[in-house]
Amino acid sequence: MTDLSHHSRELRRGADYSEPGVRDALRTGLGFAAAGATFLFVAMVWIGTCTGSLAQAAGCGASQRAMLALGAPAILLVGGLWSIVCSFRRREHSARWAWQAAGWTLLALMVLSVVLSLPSLPWR
């Protein structure tokens, strides 16, 4: 009788998710993504409260708005570059692809966060 279950070992040759490098890549990627998303959410809420009154001028100036708009992309850029550098430092194949995936995913999220934060830039 033929086995039609297609066990995962045959589909993913060489991919071992229990290796420490793979877990580290996942943990690092999720950590940077969560930090970037949290910063983006807080920045959008903060900038949303800037109505133009004099009482809020200290926290809603041009430099503060630029810092809030570019903070999340900067966090994701650092995380993406860190992950890609870590991928070149790994010797084992399964950990290397995990670090590459984390890095490129963080860089894609960086582009998305730049697009989302463009309307809140002060010179727009």
Side-chain angles (χ1 to χ4, degrees), residues 28-38 40 69 71-80 101-117:
T28 302
L30 289 175
F32 274 108
T38 302
L40 184 65
I75 291 171
L76 294 170
L77 176 66
V78 167
W104 288 110
T105 302
L106 287 171
L107 291 176
L109 287 173
M110 180 206 58
V111 171
L112 180 66
S113 69
V114 166
V115 170
L116 288 175
S117 63

Side-chain angles (χ1 to χ4, degrees), residues 77-116:
L77 176 66
V78 167
L81 292 177
W82 175 264
S83 297
I84 289 176
V85 167
C86 285
S87 74
F88 290 117
R89 295 173 59 199
R90 301 290 176 200
R91 301 243 183 241
E92 55 273 356
H93 175 69
S94 58
R96 179 173 282 177
W97 70 261
W99 282 105
Q100 283 279 330
W104 288 110
T105 302
L106 287 171
L107 291 176
L109 287 173
M110 180 206 58
V111 171
L112 180 66
S113 69
V114 166
V115 170
L116 288 175

